Amino acid sequence: MAATTSSRSERLSRPHSGAEIREAFLAFYEARGHRRMASASLVPDDPTVLLTIAGMLPFKPVFLGQAEPPAARATSSQKCIRTNDIENVGRTARHHTFFEMLGNFSFGDYFKTEAMTWAWELATTVFGLDPKHLVVSVFRDDDEAAAIWRDTVGVDPRRIVRLGEADNFWVSGPTGPCGPCSEIYYDFSPELGDGDGPLDLEDDSRFIEFYNLVFMQFNRDAEGHLTPLEKQNIDTGLGLERMAQILQGVPNNYETDLIYPLIETAATLAGVNYRQLDARGQTSLKVIGDHSRAITQLIADGVTASNLGRGYILRRLLRRVVRHGRLLGITTPFLTAMGEAAIALMVDAYPQLVERREAIMAELAREEARFLETLERGEKLLADVLSTGPSQISGEQAFELYDTYGFPLELTEEIAEEHGLAVDLAGFEAAMEAQRQRAKAATVRLDLTLQGAIEAMAEQLPATEFRGYEALEHPSQVMALVVNGEPAQGARAGDAVQIVLDSTPFYGESGGQIGDRGVLAGGAPGAGAEAGVIVRIEAVSLQRKLIVHHGRIERGELALGDTVTARVDRSCRRRVQAHHTATHLLQAALKQLVDPSIAQAGSLVDFERLRFDFHSPRAISPDDLERIEERINGWIADAHALEVREMELERARSAGAVAMFGEKYADTVRVVDVPGVSMELCGGTHVANTAEIGLFRIVSESGVAAGIRRIEAVAGPAVLDYLKERDSVVRALGDRFKVQPGEILERVGSLQDELRASTRALVAARSELALARASALAAGARDVGAFRVLVARLDGVEGAALQTAAQQLQQGLGSAAAVVLGGLPAPEEPAKLVLAAAFGAAVIAAGPKAGSFIGAVAKRCGGGGGGRPQLAQAGGRDAAALGPALEQASADLITQLSESATGAS
C-alpha cells in the first residue's frame, strides 16, 4: 500500500471531537472483525497493580495463556490511571493521571503486516493525517517491521527510526511473553527536514508519539533466550487525548474538548480567565481539570479515600485539587461542582457515572470537608516556618506536619517549591524511621510481659506445622514453654503458660478468624489417665511462623519435649467454621445484589457472631438486607459442597478468586470455592457443605468510618442463641405490657402516642404559665420618648416559651416596644440560660435589631445566638453574668432609643 496524501473531502470529514475520535477508532476496527469491548474498571483483578494502568491490562491473562480470549480480535477504549509522573501533570503538554487508551488486539490471529497497514490507514485516511507529518520507530533488530513500513506501507526510509530495547521492546516480566514495538509519531514541524542522521524523537516540542504497536512474538526463558511463540499476539495503544490535541490543533492535551470544559468550570469558580493567567495559574487549572476526571472515575468504580493503596491515591488526588483551588483563590468547597462538571462531560461515554452520582458527590463532599480542616492547620504552621526565611524545609519540620497535622509530604514539597525551597527528604525519612523504631521499642517492652520470650525463640524454632484442616486431635511435642513471660523448662498446675508445639490442629488467630479453644492432654508412661497433665487452651495466636497456645495448666506438670494430645473443642470449631463460610457467602451476596465493586475492608469471625466491614458510600437498605439474607439462606439450603485446593496465585486470580486488597499472598495460595457462588483466597477453616451452616441471620448494619459499612450477623448454632435472647426479651415485654407477643408493637405505638400527647399538653401548659407570668411584667415597661423598653428576668421557662412570651409582650406594648427576657429554664442547671428579644417595627426603624442585640447580650453570658430583626433567641453558660448582662441590655436600649428620639426631634 503506497503512502498517499488524503483527499480534501476526507480531511473535511475527519473526526474532530474526542467522542468522534473514539467512535471512529472503534468503528474502524469493528469493521475489520474486531469485537468491541467495554472499558474495564479502574480497579483491576490483577493483584500486582493497584489500578488499571494500560489498555491491555484487562487482557493480560489472555496474553499470558491463563484465560481464553473473548474473541480472536478485540478493540476497546480503556480508561486508565497512572500517578508515577504526577508532578508533571499540568506542567507538560501531555502528562495526565486519567487518560483513555484506544486499542486493537489480536489473540493469535493477525500479526505485523495487518497491524501496521491498518494503523497507517487509520491515521492517514480516517484521521486524515498528512504522511509528511508522520514518523515511525522500530526496534533496532526488527528488520521485518522496518521492511513492512518501507516496502508495504510506503514510508520514506528517512522517517523510519530504529530505537533500542528501552524504547521499543515490550516485556511482561523477567521471563515470559515479550516482543518488539513500533510507534507512530506526529511531527509538528516537518519543514525542519529530516537532517543527516536519525530524527531525535525525544524532542517533545516537535514530536508526539500517539500510536504504539506491540508485537508479542517471543518467549524469554530464565537464561534470557528468546524462542518464537506458537501463537503470536498484537497489543496496541492509541492515546485519545493525544490524538485530540493533534486533530483539534491545540497546543496541549488540556485544551482539547476532553478536559478544557473542566478548566473553564474551575476558572469560573475561581473568578479568573485561563487565557489571562500566568503559567503558574494555568498549571493549577490544568491540575484541577485532569484530577477531576480521575477522582470522579475512581469513586464511580468503587474506590473510597483512605490512607492505603488505591484509597490513598484517590485521597492524594482529591487533596491536590483542593490545594490548587486555594492557590487560585477558591476558599469554599468546590469539589462537588467539579464532580458534576466531570460527570456531564464524560457521561455519554460512561453512563454508569449517572448511576453512581450520589456516591461520587457524597465522597467528594466528605473528603473535601475533612481536608480543609487539615489544610488550614498545616498551612498555618508551614507559613510560620517559611516566615523565618529558611534555606530549606527540614526533615523534622516536614515530619511534624505529616505526623501531627496529617499534612501530606507531597503538599509540603509543592508549597516549598513555590517558594523556591526544597524539602530535606532524607531528614524526613530519618524522622519517620525514628518513629518506627520508637513504636517497635514500645512493642518490645510490651511483649516482654506477654509473648516476647517466644518472639526471641522464633529464630531458633522451626515453623509450626498446622494439621487442623484434616484433624481436630493430633499428637504433638512441646517445643517451647513460657511461664509468666519467661522461658521455662517446665510448668505445673495453676501456671499461666504459652506453648509452642511441633505440629498442631489448633488454628492461630489470623485473617479475621479467632483462634481455636480446647485442651492439651498428656501423661507420663505407665501413669493413669487421672495423673496426666491437662492444659486448658484459652487462645491461640500466630507469632510470625509459630502457632502459640495460650492457656493455664489445670492438672499435672508439663516439660519441654513432652508429647501431648492436642484436642480442639469441636463445638467451638463448628461455630467458627459456620461463621467463616457465611462471611464468604455474605460478600458474594453483597456483590451480586448491591454493587459488584463492593470490597472487603476487614472482618471478624468468632464463636458467637461474624462481622464484615466493606467499602460502600451508602447504607444498605432494609429491603436489600432482607434480599441478602434470603439469598444466603437459599445457598445454605442448596447444600453446596465446598472445594478447597491450593494453586498458583496468578492461576487463582485468573479463575476469579477474590483476594482482600492490601493482603500479601505467597506464590501458592489456598482457594476456598463454593461452586457457582463464591471463590476466595483464604487460609481459614470452613464447613464441608453449606448445609452445615443451618441458618444465617443479619443482626445489624451500620457505618463505622467514612465510606465503610459493617454488617454483623450470626450463623449456625449461634442463631439459636440469638433467637433465645430475642425470645426472652419478647416474653419480658409481653409480661410488662400484659399483651401477647404479636400485640407488643401496637401497644408500644399507643404508649408513644400517649407520651407525645402528654408532652404536647405539658409544653402548652408551660407556655400558658410563662405567658401568665410574663403578662405581669408588662407593668414594668419603661417609657423612652415614644418608645417603651422592657428588660426582665424570667426563670423556669424553656427557650421556645420564653421567645413566645417576649413576642406576646411586645405585641401588647405596641410597635414602639422593645422586649428583652432572660432566665434559667432549670435553676439546678446554672450552666444553661436562655435569652429572647422581640422588637416592634418602630424600634427596628430607629436602628436596633433583635438578632444582633440579643447576640451581644448572650456573649456577656458566655454564649451566643441571634435571629431576625423582629424576633431572636440566644443562650449562655454563665448564670452569674445574667443579671449584669440584662442591666447592661436595658441601659444600651435606652441609650440607643434616646439618641434616636433626639435625632428625630
Side-chain angles (χ1 to χ4, degrees), residues 627-804:
R627 290 168 59 219
I628 290 167
E629 196 173 85
E630 289 177 356
R631 179 67 57 89
I632 292 172
N633 282 310
W635 287 332
I636 292 171
D638 289 341
H640 292 276
L642 273 69
E643 298 176 3
V644 181
R645 57 190 182 277
E646 291 189 346
M647 61 175 69
E648 293 179 357
L649 177 61
E650 286 296 326
R651 184 169 157 236
R653 292 306 301 264
S654 298
V658 175
M660 183 171 174
F661 176 71
E663 194 78 12
K664 292 184 178 180
Y665 295 96
D667 293 337
T668 301
V669 294
R670 185 169 181 264
V671 178
V672 177
D673 185 13
V674 184
V677 176
S678 162
M679 182 187 290
E680 293 192 30
L681 307 186
C682 181
T685 61
H686 290 269
V687 298
N689 189 294
T690 58
E692 295 175 29
I693 299 173
L695 195 62
F696 173 86
R697 177 73 175 171
I698 292 175
V699 175
S700 67
E701 191 274 348
S702 61
V704 293
I708 305 293
R709 306 298 301 179
R710 170 175 293 172
I711 287 179
E712 296 193 58
V714 289
V719 176
L720 183 59
D721 296 339
Y722 171 75
L723 294 177
K724 283 181 178 178
E725 181 184 353
R726 295 289 290 265
D727 185 60
S728 176
V729 172
V730 169
R731 289 176 182 275
L733 288 172
D735 292 342
R736 174 73 60 87
F737 296 138
K738 310 298 184 192
V739 295
Q740 293 299 314
E743 300 169 342
I744 291 175
L745 190 60
E746 182 181 351
R747 177 62 177 143
V748 170
S750 65
L751 287 173
Q752 288 177 321
D753 291 340
E754 291 173 16
L755 178 60
R756 280 192 288 267
S758 298
T759 301
R760 284 195 296 269
L762 180 59
V763 169
R766 284 178 174 172
S767 296
E768 290 176 9
L769 178 60
L771 290 174
R773 292 175 58 198
S775 62
L777 299 174
R782 182 172 177 178
D783 294 329
V784 181
F787 301 102
R788 304 196 72 188
V789 174
L790 174 59
V791 179
R793 178 165 180 161
L794 188 60
D795 291 329
V797 180
E798 293 290 340
L802 190 72
Q803 182 172 278
T804 301

Side-chain angles (χ1 to χ4, degrees), residues 67-86:
E68 290 297 315
R73 303 175 180 183
T75 184
S76 68
S77 176
Q78 176 61 47
K79 53 188 179 183
C80 306
I81 282 187
R82 293 180 189 170
T83 58
N84 54 315
D85 289 324
I86 194 171

Side-chain angles (χ1 to χ4, degrees), residues 827-851:
E828 66 274 14
E829 296 183 43
K832 178 185 177 184
L833 57 91
V834 292
L835 297 155
F839 290 1
V843 175
I844 296 170
K849 306 291 190 293

Side-chain angles (χ1 to χ4, degrees), residues 92-95 133 135 159 161 163 167 183-194 198-210 242 245 251:
T92 70
R94 53 200 71 128
H95 274 98
H133 282 278
V135 179
R159 299 183 75 77
V161 180
L163 298 176
D167 296 299
E183 297 172 320
I184 306 179
Y185 290 76
Y186 187 81
D187 182 357
F188 289 102
S189 305
E191 67 278 3
L192 296 177
D194 301 330
L199 292 168
D200 180 13
L201 298 180
E202 294 293 318
D203 182 0
D204 286 345
S205 64
R206 179 177 175 182
F207 301 103
I208 179 173
E209 178 261 312
F210 67 85
R242 296 188 176 196
Q245 179 195 344

Side-chain angles (χ1 to χ4, degrees), residues 582-657:
T583 302
H584 285 212
L585 299 182
L586 174 58
Q587 178 163 214
L590 283 165
K591 285 178 175 290
Q592 286 188 19
L593 300 175
V594 179
D595 187 343
S597 68
I598 278 177
Q600 180 177 345
S603 67
L604 171 67
V605 177
D606 69 15
F607 311 121
E608 307 304 327
R609 63 186 175 128
L610 69 88
R611 185 181 74 208
F612 185 72
D613 296 344
F614 55 98
H615 295 281
S616 178
R618 62 177 178 84
I620 308 301
S621 70
D623 287 345
D624 280 341
L625 289 174
E626 187 173 339
R627 290 168 59 219
I628 290 167
E629 196 173 85
E630 289 177 356
R631 179 67 57 89
I632 292 172
N633 282 310
W635 287 332
I636 292 171
D638 289 341
H640 292 276
L642 273 69
E643 298 176 3
V644 181
R645 57 190 182 277
E646 291 189 346
M647 61 175 69
E648 293 179 357
L649 177 61
E650 286 296 326
R651 184 169 157 236
R653 292 306 301 264
S654 298

